[in-house]
Amino acid sequence: MANGQGIPLRTLSWGVTGVVVGVALVVSTALVVLTTFLHQTNIHVLASVESLRLARDLELSLDLLARDDVDDLIARRLRTDLRETLHEAGRYVTTAQEAAALVEAARRIDTYWNATRDPRVAPAERTHLRVAALDATDEFVAANIADSIAARRWADRWDRIGDILGIGAGVFLLATTTLLLWWLRRRAYEPLIALARVMEAFGHGRRDARALEVGPLELQEIARHFNAMADALAAQRAAQMTFLGGVAHDLKNPLAALRLALASQARDPDSAARTRRTLDIVTRQTAHLERMVGDFLDIARIEAGRLELRLVDCDLRELVRESAELFDGYPRHEIVLDLPREPVQVRCDPLRVTQIVVNLISNAVKYSPDGGAVEIAVTAASDSVTVAVTDHGVGMSESQTRRIFEPFSRVGLSGDTIPGVGLGLHVLQQLVRAHGGAVEVDSAPHRGSTFRVHLARAGPTTALAPRPTPAT
């Protein structure tokens, strides 16, 4: 029940983190640029203030120098003050225009100072030179003020840009956060709540409850695993119901045969032939019941990890031959043995290996309702042996062979008509594994099946471990 492709939460988190980091870098860069320009603006403003103060000092010194009562000592001191003031004004020059204005002001001030020391210069000429020096000083101040005004304009422009960036970043972050919260609510939070409700409903007995595979990929994966688990539990429950039905059916048949045989015997208790027939029926049905109970006990021991093997050295040929002799009375089936001439020694539990071979031959006969040959072959290698049982019966498809060893599995083409509860092959596989071996099957519909059991000559190296108890 998937609903499109979701976005992984990891990808979303990295994406959101990347966007936030990007916005933070842009805002940080803008702040650095703004602070730099503001610092430069402050420098220009400070230079303008200091230049204005120094210009006033120059004008005051020039006014003092123009007085008639200034002697040579005071004039030289004023000359020194003018030079120091001009030198200090050079520290606040920030543009080429200011530097040119300052150089021109210094030249005119020097010209005026030299004129005041030269008696040949007429007073009117001195006054003209003094005005020219003051004008040059005013031009320096004007250039400095113009630079300050330009810096203020740049500062105002970047201040507006900073406001736009700040507001834009705030709006972007707010919109991103709102969109993220909306997405988390619609695509993560709501699917998560829905998944929790489905799990709660399943836990309260609604076995058909399934989760929608929506939202982020992580939630889709959780929902997919939950649905698979629910399907597996449903299949297991169906298999258990089928198992109970099969057990009831298989118990009913021998019990009904026993009841009819005993009733027939009761009607003619003195007939020796009827008595023998009744005893044969009782013996067969009792053996059938005993096999069923034995399968149940074996599966219980295997699941609990309490299966015990009594290992001895045996000739596998003899075990196979004895197992095959049990089926000599089947008129429609021919048991064909292919055994090596030399003894095939293997360390095993002979009772369990006989049970394995009997199970394979019984299945081969059972699933060959039209009769035919059942071929049993034993092959030996240096460290292993193989028992292969082949029939030419109903066979199985590839998908059915993958489930043939599951408990309560009845996957043959005639599974609904052939008696059994689906435990035999599961028990067989566990017994083979307990011996350190493996079992495999080749089959095709209407062409029969071949089961191969591989056992180690030296026997099992580890004991069968108990299965963990499923969590509830």
Side-chain angles (χ1 to χ4, degrees):
M1 294 186 295
N3 187 15
Q5 294 293 328
I7 301 176
L9 288 177
R10 180 180 300 178
T11 301
L12 179 65
S13 61
W14 279 109
V16 172
T17 302
V19 170
V20 172
V21 170
V23 172
L25 288 175
V26 171
V27 173
S28 300
T29 303
L31 288 175
V32 171
V33 173
L34 286 175
T35 52
T36 301
F37 271 96
L38 289 176
H39 179 68
Q40 294 295 328
T41 302
N42 289 333
I43 292 177
H44 284 289
V45 172
L46 178 63
S48 299
V49 173
E50 290 299 320
S51 297
L52 184 61
R53 179 182 65 81
L54 294 173
R56 296 296 172 259
D57 291 343
L58 290 174
E59 291 177 354
L60 180 60
S61 297
L62 291 174
D63 289 341
L64 291 175
L65 192 62
R67 294 179 60 176
D68 296 333
D69 56 349
V70 175
D71 55 18
D72 290 341
L73 180 61
I74 295 176
R76 291 190 183 91
R77 184 176 297 172
L78 290 175
R79 167 73 176 203
T80 302
D81 291 342
L82 286 171
R83 289 181 176 177
E84 290 179 354
T85 302
L86 289 170
H87 182 268
E88 186 177 358
R91 294 168 50 191
Y92 299 103
V93 171
T94 57
T95 64
Q97 183 180 1
E98 294 178 12
L102 182 61
V103 170
E104 180 63 20
R107 186 184 66 79
R108 293 188 178 185
I109 289 174
D110 285 341
T111 300
Y112 172 66
W113 189 85
N114 291 329
T116 59
R117 299 297 95 194
D118 188 355
R120 294 173 299 175
V121 178
E125 182 64 19
R126 294 179 184 175
T127 302
H128 175 72
L129 293 175
R130 176 175 171 273
V131 171
L134 292 174
D135 290 342
T137 303
D138 291 339
E139 290 178 2
F140 168 70
V141 173
N144 199 280
I145 293 176
D147 181 64
S148 177
I149 293 174
R152 284 292 305 274
R153 289 175 179 172
W154 272 102
D156 292 340
R157 182 180 301 175
W158 279 101
D159 184 62
R160 289 192 297 270
I161 293 175
D163 292 340
I164 294 173
L165 287 176
I167 295 174
V171 171
F172 176 79
L173 291 177
L174 179 62
T176 302
T177 303
T178 303
L179 183 62
L180 178 62
L181 292 176
W182 175 84
W183 186 91
L184 288 175
R185 176 179 176 83
R186 292 294 302 274
R187 302 292 296 172
Y189 180 73
E190 291 181 359
L192 183 62
I193 294 300
L195 178 60
R197 289 174 180 170
V198 170
M199 290 182 176
E200 183 179 5
F202 186 85
H204 283 85
R206 281 190 52 194
R207 301 306 179 189
D208 60 338
R210 297 295 185 271
L212 291 175
E213 297 176 12
V214 297
L217 290 182
E218 290 82 357
L219 283 182
Q220 291 187 25
E221 190 69 16
I222 294 173
R224 190 176 299 112
H225 285 302
F226 169 77
N227 290 337
M229 179 200 69
D231 292 340
L233 291 176
Q236 184 179 9
R237 182 178 178 84
Q240 290 173 348
M241 294 299 102
T242 303
F243 161 70
L244 292 177
V247 169
H249 182 269
D250 285 359
L251 288 176
K252 180 181 178 181
N253 289 338
L255 290 175
L258 290 173
R259 181 174 58 81
L260 291 175
L262 293 175
S264 177
Q265 178 66 28
R267 286 195 299 269
D268 190 6
D270 296 329
S271 174
R274 187 178 296 276
T275 300
R276 285 193 301 271
R277 188 165 58 252
T278 300
L279 290 177
D280 289 340
I281 293 174
V282 170
T283 300
R284 287 197 305 270
Q285 299 304 322
T286 302
H288 180 54
L289 291 173
E290 185 179 8
R291 285 195 301 272
M292 290 181 60
V293 174
D295 284 343
F296 294 144
L297 291 176
D298 285 341
I299 196 65
R301 293 191 189 101
I302 291 170
E303 294 294 330
R306 293 196 295 268
L307 180 67
E308 295 181 0
L309 299 179
R310 295 176 174 84
L311 302 176
V312 295
D313 292 327
C314 303
D315 185 356
L316 184 61
R317 301 178 307 163
E318 296 301 323
L319 299 180
V320 172
R321 187 177 291 112
E322 292 173 1
S323 301
E325 290 175 354
L326 299 176
F327 297 88
D328 285 343
Y330 286 78
R332 304 181 63 184
H333 294 82
E334 180 186 2
I335 307 300
V336 180
L337 294 179
D338 182 10
L339 305 178
R341 294 182 179 181
E342 300 296 328
V344 180
Q345 294 296 325
V346 61
R347 187 166 182 79
C348 64
D349 185 332
L351 180 62
R352 295 301 184 181
V353 171
T354 300
Q355 180 181 351
I356 291 170
V357 178
V358 168
N359 191 302
L360 291 176
I361 300 174
S362 175
N363 278 345
V365 171
K366 185 188 304 182
Y367 286 93
S368 302
D370 296 333
V374 175
E375 302 160 3
I376 307 171
V378 175
T379 56
S382 59
D383 58 352
S384 64
V385 296
T386 301
V387 179
V389 178
T390 302
D391 66 73
H392 303 278
V394 295
M396 297 173 290
S397 66
E398 182 179 356
S399 62
Q400 290 172 334
T401 59
R402 288 196 292 266
R403 299 188 291 116
I404 191 65
F405 296 106
E406 296 177 1
F408 316 121
S409 177
R410 303 290 310 284
V411 298
L413 295 178
S414 302
D416 296 333
T417 59
I418 296 176
V421 295
L423 282 178
L425 287 177
H426 178 68
V427 173
L428 179 147
Q429 184 187 52
Q430 299 304 320
L431 291 177
V432 172
R433 288 179 176 176
H435 280 82
V439 58
E440 59 185 22
V441 57
D442 292 327
S443 185
H446 309 294
R447 297 177 61 181
S449 305
T450 297
F451 285 83
R452 296 182 183 87
V453 173
H454 307 281
L455 298 175
R457 279 182 175 268
T461 56
T462 57
L464 185 65
R467 290 189 173 190
T469 302
T472 59

